[in-house]
Amino acid sequence: MTGHVKDKEAFQRLSFLYQAAHCVLAQNPENVELARFYCHTQKTISKRLVLRQDPSVKRTICKRCYSLLLPGITATVRQRKQNTIVQQNQQKEKKKAKPDTK
């Protein structure tokens, strides 16, 4: 049985903005500002329409500056005991990610 998805077009737009931010950084890693704009727009739309984003998407966006955290391009990832530490290259801000227990 298929469920009816509320605001299907909004979810498609959020997905497009996230993919566009990835593509921008893949083509030109120097173009961080455009990717940041896409992520900020995505966050604004999801807040305005009260839509829940997948946790895997939320973990890859900086909560402070809305930059996309890609390992090796805009962020550094390190393993320490049970935690994964993601450090943004520009701000030197650390973000701890708990391991998935699923």
Side-chain angles (χ1 to χ4, degrees):
M1 182 162 68
T2 60
H4 184 269
V5 178
K6 180 185 173 188
D7 294 327
K8 183 178 178 182
E9 291 178 2
F11 278 112
Q12 288 176 346
R13 182 170 179 182
L14 292 177
S15 176
F16 173 80
L17 288 169
Y18 187 72
Q19 291 175 16
H22 268 280
C23 289
V24 163
L25 287 178
Q27 289 178 358
N28 185 6
E30 300 291 321
N31 206 353
V32 177
E33 290 298 321
L34 184 58
R36 188 177 293 163
F37 172 75
Y38 288 151
C39 291
H40 181 66
T41 305
Q42 174 191 5
K43 188 88 163 183
T44 305
I45 290 170
S46 66
K47 279 185 179 180
R48 185 177 37 131
L49 297 176
V50 192
L51 299 174
R52 295 186 65 136
Q53 292 183 336
D54 192 61
S56 63
V57 172
K58 290 195 287 187
R59 283 187 200 116
T60 59
I61 298 174
C62 178
K63 293 178 183 175
R64 186 178 290 174
C65 68
Y66 304 108
S67 180
L68 192 63
L69 301 175
L70 293 177
I73 298 176
T74 60
T76 305
V77 180
R78 294 185 181 159
Q79 284 289 123
R80 297 233 172 129
K81 296 182 183 177
Q82 294 293 326
N83 294 332
T84 303
I85 299 174
V86 180
Q87 185 174 4
Q88 190 173 349
N89 291 341
Q90 294 161 345
Q91 289 181 340
K92 300 299 179 195
E93 172 187 329
K94 292 182 181 178
K95 180 178 183 180
K96 288 187 179 179
K98 296 192 179 180
D100 291 332
T101 58
K102 292 182 181 179

